[in-house]
Amino acid sequence: MVLCGPSGCGKTTLLRHLKRELTPVGTGSGTVCYRGLPLGEWSPEIAAAEIGMVFQNPEAQIVMDTVWHELAFSMENLGYPLSVMRSRLAEIAGLFGLEPLLYKPVHELSGGQKQLLNLASVLVLQPKVLLLDEPTSQLDPIAAREFIQMLRRLNEEMSVTVIISEHRLEEVLPLADRVLMLEDGKLKAEGTPREIAVKLGGGAASPSDLAYFPAATRVYLGLTAEAALEGAGPIPLTVREGKQWLQREWRTDREGEGARPSAEHHSAAKEAGGSQRSSIPSDRPSEESVLAEEILKAREITFRYEKEGPEVLKKLSLSLFRGELLAILGGNGAGKSTLLHLLNGLAKPQRGRIDLAKGSSTGYLAQNPLLYFSQDTARAELRQMAEYGGLSATEAQEEIDGLLDIFELGELLERHPHDLSGGQQQKLALGMVLLLRPDILLLDEPTKGLDPAAKEKLASLLLHLRELGKSIIVVTHDVEFAASYATRCALLFDGGITAEGPPETFFSANYFYTTAVNRMVRDWLPQALTVEEVTRQWPAFASRS
Amino acid sequence: MSSGFRSMHPTVAIVYYAGLVLFAALLFHPVYLMTELIGVLGLLLLQGQGKTLLRGLPFYLLMAGSVAVLNPFFSHRGSNILFYFMDQPVTLEAILYGLMMMLVLLTILIVFVSYNYTVTTDKFMYLFSSVAPKSALLTLMSLRFVPLFQRRLRQITEIQRTRGIDTSKGSVRKRMKDGMTLLKVLLTWSLEEALQTADSMKARGYGVSKRSSYANYKMDRQDIFVLVMLVVSGLIPLLGWLQGYGTMQIYPRLKPLEYTWQEAVVYASFCLFVLIPSGLEGKEKWIWRSSQRTGYPSAIPMKPGTRFMSSRSR
C-alpha cells in the first residue's frame, strides 16, 4: 500500500497512529484495529514486534555503534534468548547481504546501507506489518531502487504487509496494490494505481497531483483524450508497459506500413523530433546564450583529502558561463560535493587552479540546511547574514523583504529555524546565502527529500535567480530535475568530467543514465526528455509518419 | 586479527589481566616482578605488538626511571647510609626501593599495553553489560556520539565560516562567542536527532520487557580449561602472599632474600600463571609453522618419499 500526497498533508501522522508506541500526543478520536482488536489492547511485546517502522532519516534511527549490535538491539529489548537471537541475526544478515559489514562501525556505511540496516533491524522481530515513512527520500536513486526492491521481495516472498509513504513513486507505484492519496488530513482518492490514474487523470486533476505518477502514466494521460480514458486498455505504469503501449499506438496510427520501425524511420523520427524542437518555443535558452562569457573556470584540479588518501578529483576541468544552470550528475562518492567545496574555496586543490571572473563571488548551499542556522528566529538569521554581508540597515531591510517575497517565507519570520519544514529550511538557507550577493550559486543536492510541488517551486526560483543574472551549479542525483531545468549537464566520473552537453544531447546519448520518459520514447523521439516535450511532439510526429 | 590468546573468551582475558595488576601491586619482590615483566613483554612480542610497545617505551621508561631517581632524594629511611647529598643522607634502602617502584610501575604500564590490545572495547562492553546492562547500553550510545559529534562539528565549522562565525579570526571575545555559537548549533541539531533516535528505540520495543544481551562470545572447552588453570595457579601465589611469601622487606632495614621449598612452589605457580597466555600464543605460532604435519590420520594415502614430503615436515 502506498500513501502519497504533498508535504504536511498528514502522511507521517497517519503512519504514527498505526504504531502504538509513537502515537502522537493530542486529542484523537476513532480506533485503529490490528487483526480485529484495537491496537491499544495488544500486549506491548506484540505491538512492538509485529508492527515495525522505518523512518526518513537513516542516520538518526541508528542507536548502537556497530552493525551487529544494531541488529541485536531490538531483540535484546524484547528479551529473546541468545540462541534465538543468533539464528535470527544470521538469517537477516544473510538475506540483506550484511555479512561483510557485520563488525563495521555504523558511521562507515553509506546512506543506502544505513537505511537497509534500519530495515533489517526492524525485520529481526519478524513483523507482520511494516510502516515506512519516506524511507528513500534521503537516498540516491540507485540506493533507493535497491531499497524498494528489498521491500518488494519482503512483500512477495514473506507476504509482509507494507505501508509506505513516498514522494518518489516512479519505482513504488507499479508494485503497489492500493494507493491512498491524502490532502489536508483527508483521504482524497483510493484504489489500485490504475484506478487512481483514471480517477485523477479524468480531467479533475491538478498538475501537482499528476506529478506523483510514474512517467509512463503521465505520458499516457497527456496523450490520451479524456473521453477515451474509460474503457481504454490498462494504463501503463512502467517504462516497459509505456513502450508497449506507444508501439501499439504507433502501429494503429500508421496502418499498412511495417510493424517494426526500420532504420529509415529512425532517422525520420530524429528529424521529426529535431524540427519539432526548433518550431516549438522552448523554455530552454538557445545556443547563443550558452556561449556567453565564462564566469568560473577550473583547470585541471586534483584533490585528495589526506596525504596518503586516494585522489578524489583527477585533473578536472570545468567552466561555467554567465547565466546558465549547470547540473553535475554522478554516482555516490564520485566527488560531486568535494568539487563544490573546492569551487567555493572551502578547500584548496593540490594541483590546478580555479579562476573566477573579476569581481564575482560564490555562494554555497550545503546538503543539510541545518548547518546554516545559529540564531533563534528566521529573522535573526537573515539579519546576521546581511550584517556579515556588509549591508547597511536599510539596504538589508530591502534585500530581506525582496527575498521574503520570492521565497514566500513572510509568515515564518518569527519561527525557530528548526521548526520549519525541510523545504522551508532549505529556502531560508538559500535566502541567507543570497544575502551575500553571490554571482555564482553552488547547490548541493537541493531536491533531496522534496515533494514534486516543492521541486517545481525550487525550479522556478532558480529560473528567477538566473533572470537576475546569477549563474548556478547544481549537484544532483535527480536525473528528471536536471533534464527539465538545466541548460547544460555534466557527468562526473572517476574524478573527472566524462561527458558534457545540453540536456537533449547529453541524455539521449545515455542508455541508462537518462529520464524514464526518454527511456520510453527514445525509439521515436530520441531527444524528448520530459512529459511536456513528449505531449507536445508526439501528435505531430505520429501524424507525420 | 584475532588469534591465540586474543581470540579467547573475554572473561579469561579479564581474569588474567586483573591477576597481573594485582600481583604487580602485591608481590613486592624483584624476582617476581622481573618474571612478570618479561612474561608480559614476551606475550606482546608474540602477539606482534613490538611496534606499539616501542612507540610507547620511551615514555614509560621516563616515567618509571624518574621514580627510581627521585625516591632516594626524598626518602631517607633505612640504615645503610651510602653518602650525603646536599647534607641529606642517601640510603641503600631508598635506592633499592626506588628501583623496585620503577619495576612495579613499568610492569603495570606494560600490562596495560597488552590489555589494550587484547581486551577491545567490544569485549569490555560485553563483560560490563552482563554486570550492569542499562549503564552499559548508555555507555555504548555515548561512545558512539563522540566521533559523531566531532564529524558534525567539523561540518558546522566549515559552513558557519561562510557566514562569518569563525573561531580562528577576530578578537578573543569574538572567538569565544563564535565558539559558543558553534556548540549551540551542534547541540540543537543533535538534540533534534536524538528525538528521532528515541522514537526509533521506542518503536523497536525498548523498555517493553527485561533486556537480554546478545553476545558474540561463547565459552568453549579450551576457554574453561584455561580459566581454571589461571584461577588455580593464581590462587597459590595469593595464598602464599597471605602467608608472607613473595615479598621482600626493604624498610626499615634491608633483609636478605630467603629461599625455601615453599617459596619455590609459590614462584613456580606464579610463573605458570604469567606464562599461560604466552604458551597459547606460542602454540598457535608453532601450529601455523608446521601446518604441513597432519594431526589426524587421513584417508588419502601419503606415499613416502614424494617431493612434497620434504625433510622438514617429517
Side-chain angles (χ1 to χ4, degrees):
Chain A
M1 189 154 93
V2 171
L3 286 176
C4 62
S7 285
C9 72
K11 298 191 296 288
T12 303
T13 318
L14 177 62
L15 282 178
R16 280 174 168 255
H17 270 289
L18 300 181
K19 175 84 182 156
R20 193 177 72 187
E21 289 82 0
L22 302 176
T23 305
V25 185
T27 49
S29 60
T31 52
V32 179
C33 289
Y34 172 62
R35 292 202 292 180
L37 222 66
L39 209 54
E41 289 176 27
W42 288 94
S43 75
E45 283 90 354
I46 290 184
E50 298 208 339
I51 303 182
M53 181 151 182
V54 176
F55 305 84
Q56 194 171 352
N57 186 338
E59 176 108 12
Q61 296 173 61
I62 294 178
V63 184
M64 305 309 270
D65 58 342
T66 53
V67 172
W68 69 265
H69 222 140
E70 179 69 19
L71 286 173
F73 175 75
S74 16
M75 296 189 284
E76 288 179 334
N77 283 337
L78 295 179
Y80 288 170
L82 192 59
S83 55
V84 175
M85 290 204 269
R86 281 229 165 96
S87 66
R88 283 206 188 172
L89 199 140
E91 198 183 40
I92 289 292
L95 177 67
F96 280 77
L98 289 172
E99 275 149 307
L101 307 174
L102 213 52
Y103 289 96
K104 275 208 170 177
V106 165
H107 68 84
E108 282 178 18
L109 306 185
S110 71
Q113 286 173 330
K114 275 184 198 156
Q115 199 63 303
L116 275 180
L117 171 62
N118 285 325
L119 181 61
S121 65
V122 166
L123 279 175
V124 287
L125 298 179
Q126 305 183 340
K128 301 216 163 40
V129 180
L130 255 183
L131 309 173
L132 301 127
D133 187 9
E134 295 181 24
T136 64
S137 66
Q138 309 290 318
L139 307 184
D140 66 84
I142 294 173
R145 199 166 303 158
E146 225 165 85
F147 189 84
I148 301 284
Q149 287 310 321
M150 185 47 84
L151 286 181
R152 173 193 166 148
R153 264 183 79 188
L154 292 174
N155 177 254
E156 281 177 1
E157 293 171 21
M158 261 79 79
S159 83
V160 179
T161 309
V162 178
I163 304 179
I164 180 170
S165 80
E166 202 36 283
H167 286 320
R168 231 184 346 207
L169 295 172
E170 192 73 46
E171 310 281 336
V172 191
L173 211 63
L175 307 176
D177 296 314
R178 213 143 63 91
V179 181
L180 300 186
M181 199 170 221
L182 300 183
E183 197 174 72
D184 294 331
K186 288 200 189 76
L187 193 60
K188 191 175 174 197
E190 186 193 356
T192 65
R194 293 202 165 86
E195 283 169 20
I196 290 260
V198 171
K199 217 179 278 179
L200 292 178
S206 57
S208 65
D209 287 337
L210 283 180
Y212 289 102
F213 289 109
T217 317
R218 276 182 291 153
V219 169
Y220 177 86
L221 290 174
L223 291 180
T224 315
E226 279 166 35
L229 216 52
E230 305 285 340
I235 295 185
L237 292 174
T238 62
V239 168
R240 193 185 58 163
E241 288 169 2
K243 205 160 175 177
Q244 284 166 350
W245 168 73
L246 276 179
Q247 201 134 29
R248 268 201 313 276
E249 198 77 346
W250 193 62
R251 260 186 235 157
T252 45
D253 278 359
R254 306 171 60 249
E255 286 157 304
E257 293 207 26
R260 299 257 339 137
S262 62
E264 252 177 344
H265 294 128
H266 258 293
S267 57
K270 259 182 206 147
E271 242 171 62
S275 60
Q276 206 58 39
R277 281 205 69 77
S278 53
S279 63
I280 293 171
S282 169
D283 50 354
R284 298 181 205 287
S286 52
E287 295 292 314
E288 297 90 76
S289 73
V290 172
L291 293 173
E293 158 203 11
E294 239 175 16
I295 187 164
L296 182 142
K297 189 176 168 68
R299 265 199 319 223
E300 294 175 357
I301 47 175
T302 298
F303 182 76
R304 60 183 77 172
Y305 278 100
E306 287 150 20
K307 202 174 164 199
E308 306 292 317
E311 287 178 342
V312 185
L313 300 176
K314 297 175 196 164
K315 297 186 185 171
L316 177 142
S317 300
L318 179 77
S319 35
L320 178 74
F321 301 98
R322 192 178 286 282
E324 76 169 348
L325 198 167
L326 172 65
I328 300 178
L329 300 127
N332 255 357
K336 300 192 301 295
S337 298
T338 311
L339 177 60
L340 284 196
H341 266 82
L342 287 174
L343 293 181
N344 192 37
L346 290 173
K348 276 212 164 60
Q350 276 89 30
R351 259 189 64 183
R353 50 187 293 184
I354 297 167
D355 295 319
L356 281 175
K358 235 189 193 132
S360 53
S361 57
T362 57
Y364 169 60
L365 183 63
Q367 243 178 72
N368 186 349
L370 291 182
L371 294 174
Y372 286 86
F373 304 140
S374 58
Q375 314 288 327
D376 288 330
T377 63
R379 185 193 298 277
E381 300 282 2
L382 290 169
R383 282 263 166 78
Q384 193 273 345
M385 206 62 179
E387 215 170 283
Y388 179 66
L391 301 178
S392 68
T394 46
E395 267 181 324
Q397 199 52 48
E398 272 172 36
E399 283 276 326
I400 291 176
D401 286 343
L403 282 174
L404 292 181
D405 272 355
I406 308 174
F407 288 90
E408 300 167 348
L409 287 172
E411 313 93 82
L412 306 167
L413 265 185
E414 300 305 326
R415 298 266 284 275
H416 193 277
H418 280 254
D419 291 336
L420 304 177
S421 77
Q424 290 164 341
Q425 282 175 347
Q426 198 186 45
K427 278 198 245 171
L428 180 58
L430 183 57
M432 285 161 62
V433 172
L434 282 176
L435 280 175
L436 297 177
R437 300 194 185 167
D439 303 291
I440 302 165
L441 269 177
L442 308 168
L443 310 179
D444 197 350
E445 295 279 356
T447 57
K448 208 172 186 177
L450 295 184
D451 65 23
K455 244 183 233 180
E456 215 150 281
K457 256 186 211 152
L458 177 74
S460 61
L461 204 71
L462 294 183
L463 197 71
H464 184 82
L465 291 173
R466 257 175 57 210
E467 279 162 10
L468 294 178
K470 316 249 184 235
S471 321
I472 303 169
I473 296 185
V474 175
V475 151
T476 184
H477 280 302
D478 194 332
V479 176
E480 322 280 332
F481 185 81
S484 316
Y485 305 109
T487 53
R488 209 151 56 93
C489 296
L491 181 67
L492 185 60
F493 175 74
D494 194 26
I497 299 284
T498 47
E500 191 181 352
E504 306 89 58
T505 47
F506 177 81
F507 285 113
S508 53
N510 291 350
Y511 175 69
F512 167 74
Y513 218 86
T514 180
T515 63
V517 175
N518 184 255
R519 271 177 277 155
M520 190 171 121
V521 301
R522 65 185 317 152
D523 285 354
W524 302 280
L525 300 168
Q527 303 232 313
L529 299 177
T530 62
V531 177
E532 290 76 36
E533 283 171 3
V534 173
T535 355
R536 266 200 313 258
Q537 293 169 28
W538 180 264
F541 165 67
S543 62
R544 260 177 64 151
S545 58
Chain B
M1 212 193 63
S2 67
S3 62
F5 187 55
R6 208 177 177 221
S7 66
M8 302 207 73
H9 197 271
T11 319
V12 180
I14 212 88
V15 164
Y16 178 61
Y17 287 107
L20 285 186
V21 173
L22 192 71
F23 288 143
L26 292 182
L27 300 177
F28 200 69
H29 193 293
V31 178
Y32 285 84
L33 284 174
M34 282 307 283
T35 313
E36 186 174 330
L37 188 60
I38 290 167
V40 178
L41 280 176
L43 178 62
L44 269 173
L45 289 180
L46 276 173
Q47 285 176 328
Q49 291 301 293
K51 257 195 187 145
T52 330
L53 185 68
L54 224 56
R55 220 179 303 137
L57 207 58
F59 171 70
Y60 304 143
L61 282 177
L62 189 76
M63 285 254 302
S66 59
V67 172
V69 174
L70 289 178
N71 190 57
F73 294 112
F74 288 99
S75 166
H76 307 299
R77 293 175 69 192
S79 54
N80 294 319
I81 296 167
L82 291 181
F83 58 90
Y84 286 87
F85 178 76
M86 314 255 302
D87 285 347
Q88 300 285 343
V90 173
T91 65
L92 178 65
E93 280 86 353
I95 290 179
L96 284 179
Y97 194 84
L99 285 175
M100 290 287 285
M101 286 298 286
M102 177 181 94
L103 267 185
V104 171
L105 207 64
L106 206 57
T107 309
I108 291 183
L109 286 172
I110 286 173
V111 164
F112 270 103
V113 175
S114 177
Y115 169 87
N116 266 340
Y117 175 71
T118 310
V119 183
T120 51
T121 329
D122 253 15
K123 289 187 193 168
F124 176 73
M125 287 319 295
Y126 162 71
L127 290 169
F128 187 35
S129 65
S130 48
V131 185
K134 280 238 165 115
S135 343
L137 179 69
L138 198 70
T139 320
L140 259 183
M141 287 177 65
S142 353
L143 276 180
R144 176 180 165 241
F145 278 130
V146 176
L148 190 70
F149 280 8
Q150 277 175 345
R151 263 174 289 133
R152 280 186 186 164
L153 194 61
R154 211 174 308 135
Q155 284 181 325
I156 292 173
T157 319
E158 203 166 63
I159 294 301
Q160 292 284 344
R161 190 171 294 156
T162 64
R163 59 179 297 191
I165 294 175
D166 189 347
T167 48
S168 60
K169 274 190 206 130
S171 64
V172 178
R173 222 185 115 88
K174 185 209 158 245
R175 284 187 198 194
M176 277 168 66
K177 206 176 127 226
D178 287 355
M180 288 309 289
T181 316
L182 293 183
L183 283 181
K184 193 177 91 183
V185 177
L186 176 68
L187 271 183
T188 11
W189 180 17
S190 302
L191 281 175
E192 197 92 355
E193 292 235 323
L195 279 179
Q196 294 178 41
T197 312
D199 271 353
S200 154
M201 286 172 72
K202 243 165 70 185
R204 287 193 271 156
Y206 179 71
V208 162
S209 58
K210 197 172 176 306
R211 274 176 72 82
S212 57
S213 78
Y214 179 82
N216 286 325
Y217 307 104
K218 255 187 191 161
M219 271 274 194
D220 60 11
R221 283 196 322 206
Q222 195 194 13
D223 288 324
I224 294 171
F225 175 71
V226 172
L227 190 63
V228 169
M229 290 277 284
L230 280 177
V231 169
V232 171
S233 64
L235 274 179
I236 293 174
L238 201 62
L239 291 174
W241 176 77
L242 287 174
Q243 303 296 318
Y245 297 102
T247 53
M248 176 180 154
Q249 195 188 350
I250 291 179
Y251 291 141
R253 173 178 268 279
L254 189 65
K255 270 193 184 168
L257 297 169
E258 286 171 16
Y259 296 101
T260 58
W261 69 268
Q262 292 99 326
E263 188 79 61
V265 168
V266 169
Y267 180 67
S269 173
F270 177 74
C271 279
L272 183 66
F273 179 86
V274 171
L275 294 177
I276 285 173
S278 309
L280 285 170
E281 208 63 50
K283 188 180 142 210
E284 188 138 316
K285 276 244 157 68
W286 182 74
I287 287 175
W288 276 112
R289 282 190 63 143
S290 57
S291 57
Q292 297 102 319
R293 214 182 269 262
T294 41
Y296 48 90
S298 165
I300 304 163
M302 285 233 226
K303 279 182 207 138
T306 59
R307 61 190 185 91
F308 297 110
M309 299 276 286
S310 66
S311 55
R312 213 184 78 180
S313 65
R314 268 199 289 169

